[in-house]
Amino acid sequence: TVLPRLVASSAIALLTACGGGGGGSGGSSSAAPAPVVQASTVSGTVTKGVISNGLVSVYALEDGATARLLGSTRTDQSGNFSLSVTGYQGPVYIEVTASTSGEPTLMTCDSANGCGDFSGSSNYDSNNNGSIDFGERFAVSGNFMLSSALPSIQQSASTSISTLTHLAAQLAAQFPQGINEVSIAAALSQVQNLFDLDSSLTGTRLIDLTNPTAVSGATSDELRYALLSGGAPYPAVDLL
């Protein structure tokens, strides 16, 4: 079920209230050293439950809006991703969308009440009951989208991508100056406070609620974050 635009808009409304080389002697000269191209690694985990084969796109942010595409990759079977970005270390917007070719993007149902019904016969319906049960995977719809935003990606940056980071990224875009390092930090803090979380939205590890080992080894903050994020239908609103 896609989260209605009204819910995301209402949440946002609630939150917004609140050098050159020198010459040498004797006519000889030395070439200027080549500029050092800085490389950064952007990595993370996408979970609402686990999103596998999701298309991850990382964009530069300039003048309060998304700019050029810095790179793209896909999530693995555990929802993890990693890519290298060169020549840029500023704020970024990260978007995860459904695959449009090849293998589908899959979500693992992490709701105890199930995640609806399969539209027809499916290889992912392990018990052939027509329902998407807890722990079963299913193909996401074409308008699936989650996002996150980071104030900078100097050297390396990691982020959890969830329904809560998505809300924060879309909130940051509504600030008067647009989405930049200041509005990103403010929006992340506001969403964290709104849901009374003790740890950061981007830094807290997202666990797979269908994995008993992961659940038993999780902290209370990680469990609460996963339950909050997994309990909300994924949004399909993109205000950027």
Side-chain angles (χ1 to χ4, degrees), residues 40-188:
S40 303
T41 299
V42 180
S43 60
T45 304
V46 187
T47 302
K48 197 261 152 283
V50 171
I51 303 297
S52 61
N53 198 42
L55 178 60
V56 181
S57 302
V58 180
Y59 296 91
L61 290 173
E62 298 174 3
D63 299 323
T66 54
R68 69 186 188 278
L69 176 67
L70 299 172
S72 61
T73 186
R74 292 178 184 268
T75 58
D76 63 17
Q77 292 297 307
S78 299
N80 301 315
F81 70 91
S82 180
L83 61 84
S84 179
V85 172
T86 57
Y88 181 84
Q89 294 189 321
V92 295
Y93 175 73
I94 307 171
E95 185 176 82
V96 184
T97 53
S99 173
T100 57
S101 62
E103 294 297 315
T105 297
L106 301 177
M107 178 189 295
T108 301
C109 177
D110 61 0
S111 171
N113 296 323
C115 299
D117 298 320
F118 290 103
S119 58
S121 61
S122 173
N123 293 331
Y124 305 114
D125 188 4
S126 58
N127 57 4
N128 297 312
N129 68 347
S131 299
I132 304 172
D133 300 313
F134 179 82
E136 288 186 325
R137 299 188 301 165
F138 61 98
V140 302
S141 61
N143 63 353
F144 169 84
M145 194 266 289
L146 286 175
S147 64
S148 183
L150 296 173
S152 71
I153 56 168
Q154 294 184 13
Q155 295 184 337
S156 64
S158 180
T159 179
S160 295
I161 300 181
S162 67
T163 52
L164 302 190
T165 63
H166 178 85
L167 178 59
Q170 304 306 311
L171 169 63
Q174 301 307 297
F175 277 59
Q177 71 269 36
I179 183 169
N180 60 17
E181 60 272 23
V182 175
S183 64
I184 291 170
L188 286 170

Side-chain angles (χ1 to χ4, degrees), residues 167-224:
L167 178 59
Q170 304 306 311
L171 169 63
Q174 301 307 297
F175 277 59
Q177 71 269 36
I179 183 169
N180 60 17
E181 60 272 23
V182 175
S183 64
I184 291 170
L188 286 170
S189 177
Q190 288 184 34
V191 174
Q192 178 181 336
N193 292 335
L194 177 66
F195 289 95
D196 195 26
L197 292 169
D198 293 328
S199 51
S200 75
L201 300 181
T202 59
T204 302
R205 182 174 65 106
L206 277 170
I207 64 167
D208 178 4
L209 292 173
T210 69
N211 184 330
T213 301
V215 171
S216 64
T219 66
S220 58
D221 282 345
E222 290 169 345
L223 280 173
R224 188 163 186 272

